[in-house]
């Protein structure tokens, strides 16, 4: 028998909010910031997508009483793109590099 921990109801605010931007290592990183609370849930998308993939999940999570943050990784979504001439070629969007940007976020 399953026990329901929370009865979730979606709130429209997480998907209707405009994305904010913050400067990280010289690039602008866009992110959704919704909800409020001391606890924070961070939603990281895959490659090559954006925080838009969380659009149907965030409204439900916002009702849990915590802050939710969903960034667009650098080069994706509404975040700045890296110049193709930058050192590293395709690896400039590697997981290691994205972790550096997220660490600065």
């Amino acid at each position: 028998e399953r026990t329901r921990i929370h009865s979730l109801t979606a709130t429209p605010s997480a998907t209707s909010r405009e994305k904010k931007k913050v400067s990280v290592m010289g690039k602008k990183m866009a992110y959704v910031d919704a909800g409020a609370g001391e606890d924070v849930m961070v939603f990281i998308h895959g490659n090559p997508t954006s925080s838009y993939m969380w659009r149907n999940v965030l409204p439900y999570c916002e009702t849990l009483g915590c802050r939710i943050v969903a960034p667009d990784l650098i080069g994706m979504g509404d975040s700045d793109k890296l110049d193709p001439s930058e050192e590293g070629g395709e690896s400039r969007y590697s997981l290691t590099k994205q972790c550096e940007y997220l660490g600065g976020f």
Side-chain angles (χ1 to χ4, degrees):
E1 182 178 333
R2 291 184 178 184
T3 303
R4 182 171 220 135
I5 296 173
H6 294 282
S7 178
L8 299 177
T9 304
T11 62
S13 63
T15 55
S16 63
R17 291 180 191 221
E18 299 244 349
K19 289 183 184 174
K20 298 177 180 180
K21 289 195 176 185
V22 64
S23 182
V24 179
M25 296 169 48
K27 301 291 182 188
K28 295 287 185 187
M29 182 179 278
Y31 64 101
V32 173
D33 189 352
E38 190 173 311
D39 294 325
V40 179
M41 294 176 71
V42 180
F43 292 81
I44 306 295
H45 62 81
N47 185 4
T49 59
S50 72
S51 62
Y52 181 75
M53 73 174 292
W54 298 110
R55 70 192 177 283
N56 295 321
V57 175
L58 298 180
Y60 290 97
C61 293
E62 188 176 8
T63 66
L64 297 174
C66 61
R67 181 179 172 203
I68 55 174
V69 177
D72 286 344
L73 296 176
I74 294 296
M76 299 166 214
D78 294 320
S79 290
D80 283 352
K81 310 308 181 255
L82 298 176
D83 189 320
S85 67
E86 287 187 42
E87 190 175 324
E90 290 182 18
S91 68
R92 67 188 186 280
Y93 290 113
S94 69
L95 179 59
T96 301
K97 194 66 173 172
Q98 292 295 355
C99 286
E100 289 177 28
Y101 284 109
L102 285 171
F105 177 72

